[in-house]
Amino acid sequence: MNLSPAARAVFVELLLHGPLSRAEVARRLELSPSVLTKLTRPLLQSGYLVEEPGPSGVPGRPSVPLRVDHGRRAYAGIKLTGTELFAVRTDLGAAVTAEVRLPLDGHDVAYVVDRIAAAVAAVSAGDPPAAVGVSLAGTASRTDAVVHRSPFLGWHGVPLASLVSEATGLPAVLENDVRALTAAVHWFGAAAGHRTFALVTVGEGLGCGIVVDDRLVAGTAGVSGQIGHLSIDGSGPICERGHRGCARAYVAAPSIRRSARAALDRPLLTFDQALGLARSGDLVARRIFDEAGLALGRIVATIANLIGPEVVVLSGETVHMHEVCAPAFEAALGEHTHWTSEPVEVRVQPFAFTEWARGAAVVALRHDLGVP
Ligand SMILES: [Zn+2]
């Protein structure tokens, strides 16, 4: 969308907080009524904004609520893993209107780009989205077109955004998967309305997205939020990089599976089976999840001490483990929060795998609106 900075501010305010009356938008953005009328007129004419007059309202009056017509524009979001590709189509309000899941039989760049184009076509049904967002684990950010490094795909320096754009004929933008999810949590999820927060994801890995003063922090070449190998205990279990007692070695699902299988001598135990054992009081499984909770509490306290967030949101594929390890988590959060502060408010956002692709679609939406 081609919006002036002032029109963009009005549109985003209504997208995130609408319906709002013109008078309320003018108050929030410190604009005069006449300036606001001038800014909203083209958006009303093009159908992006609609009036909700209600039974007694008169169209055009400052008190009549305005809202964004979410169906007016669509986005495609893609999440790449080492073995699969998930794609969703969303509207302007990030509601998922179509989804598709395709296997990836290799990591050849041209093949993956071809699969991305096929997925975008599959969720578009002949009506192309305004932009495509692609997210993946690795160092990438929306400010450049290159995947600097993706361990799962074995890629270095792949100009994926321009390749996807060429293949689909649509604007394309990349983002690290955790940061893409952070963008969705910021605008449409558990941190909506907050200006400074962190998202911590638990699952196959351990990730962190940071928003400070409403800006998604990417860091140099997209490497911010690398909490996976923070040291927790120098005598703890060993991670796949050879660190003893790092965060991943306690919290990531593969480490928990490994510890539970070894300690219980059950080589086929799944993560959820181990969690079930802990829930039902098995002492060994209980200890493993308590230690995961202690590590996670310490990590969240460390992040809170560094950035001073209003809230920390926990999510990711295995966030349901929080219910079992909450006492240990709370204890460690309290212990490691700086003594001058209160422990940060923690919100658990339940997770579905399509959330990753939805995050990529929100990155496409923000790119389309020109929001950093
Ligand atoms: Zn490690």
Side-chain angles (χ1 to χ4, degrees):
M1 283 173 85
N2 203 358
L3 297 170
S4 69
R8 179 187 306 131
V10 170
F11 188 77
V12 170
E13 194 67 20
L14 284 162
L15 180 64
L16 303 190
H17 307 293
L20 296 171
S21 68
R22 285 185 180 80
E24 177 61 16
V25 177
R27 191 191 65 76
R28 286 172 173 232
L29 300 178
E30 298 177 355
L31 297 169
S32 72
S34 63
V35 167
L36 188 72
T37 301
K38 209 173 288 174
L39 290 170
T40 51
R41 191 178 297 126
L43 289 165
L44 282 156
Q45 280 165 352
S46 57
Y48 284 104
L49 295 182
V50 288
E51 290 190 311
E52 284 199 326
S56 57
V58 179
R61 286 278 174 82
S63 60
V64 174
L66 298 178
R67 66 171 174 83
V68 171
D69 180 357
H70 287 176
R72 194 69 183 73
R73 218 160 162 86
Y75 301 92
I78 310 279
K79 154 80 170 174
L80 288 175
T81 75
T83 56
E84 282 181 306
L85 174 166
F86 295 80
V88 297
R89 179 184 176 88
T90 69
D91 64 14
L92 269 163
V96 174
T97 56
E99 58 182 84
V100 68
R101 183 172 183 163
L102 299 178
L104 276 187
D105 297 323
H107 298 158
D108 175 69
V109 174
Y111 165 76
V112 174
V113 169
D114 193 59
R115 297 300 272 171
I116 291 172
V120 171
V123 295
S124 298
D127 180 17
V132 180
V134 181
S135 82
L136 72 176
T139 40
S141 84
R142 65 207 175 279
T143 52
D144 71 38
V146 177
V147 176
H148 292 284
R149 193 171 170 145
S150 171
F152 287 106
L153 294 162
W155 289 356
H156 292 267
V158 173
L160 188 64
S162 18
L163 294 172
V164 169
S165 198
E166 272 168 38
T168 59
L170 298 166
V173 61
L174 303 180
E175 187 55 282
N176 163 271
D177 54 359
V178 175
R179 252 192 320 270
L181 186 61
T182 307
V185 167
H186 183 202
W187 273 21
F188 303 105
H194 291 285
R195 291 175 52 83
T196 298
F197 77 96
L199 167 71
V200 174
T201 58
V202 291
E204 290 303 302
L206 180 61
C208 177
I210 298 166
V211 170
V212 174
D213 290 340
D214 271 337
R215 293 184 74 89
L216 195 51
V217 177
T220 307
V223 299
S224 72
Q226 304 281 22
I227 59 169
H229 298 278
L230 276 178
S231 177
I232 300 292
D233 181 345
S235 58
I238 295 179
C239 83
E240 77 285 359
R241 302 292 306 167
H243 309 134
R244 196 169 268 294
C246 77
R248 272 184 73 98
Y250 282 106
V251 179
S255 311
I256 289 177
R257 267 196 305 268
R258 207 160 44 232
S259 299
R261 285 171 179 176
L264 293 161
D265 196 19
R266 290 179 58 180
L268 299 176
L269 198 71
T270 65
F271 179 90
D272 281 331
Q273 285 168 340
L275 188 64
L277 288 173
R279 197 183 283 120
S280 62
D282 179 280
L283 291 178
V284 172
R286 181 83 243 171
R287 177 76 187 259
I288 289 167
F289 281 96
D290 281 348
E291 289 190 348
L294 289 173
L296 196 56
R298 183 172 177 150
I299 292 160
V300 169
T302 303
I303 294 165
N305 293 340
L306 282 170
I307 67 167
E310 296 158 53
V311 295
V312 170
V313 178
L314 293 182
S315 196
E317 295 96 326
T318 58
V319 74
H320 55 294
M321 80 178 184
H322 181 262
E323 163 217 336
V324 168
C325 62
F329 174 84
E330 296 294 336
L333 178 65
E335 185 186 343
H336 294 282
T337 295
H338 191 264
W339 64 273
T340 55
S341 312
E342 287 298 313
V344 68
E345 181 191 341
V346 175
R347 294 181 186 167
V348 177
Q349 180 165 310
F351 189 80
F353 204 84
T354 48
E355 288 295 301
W356 291 122
R358 182 169 170 263
V362 173
V363 172
L365 157 68
R366 287 165 70 133
H367 178 74
D368 183 41
L369 296 179
V371 175

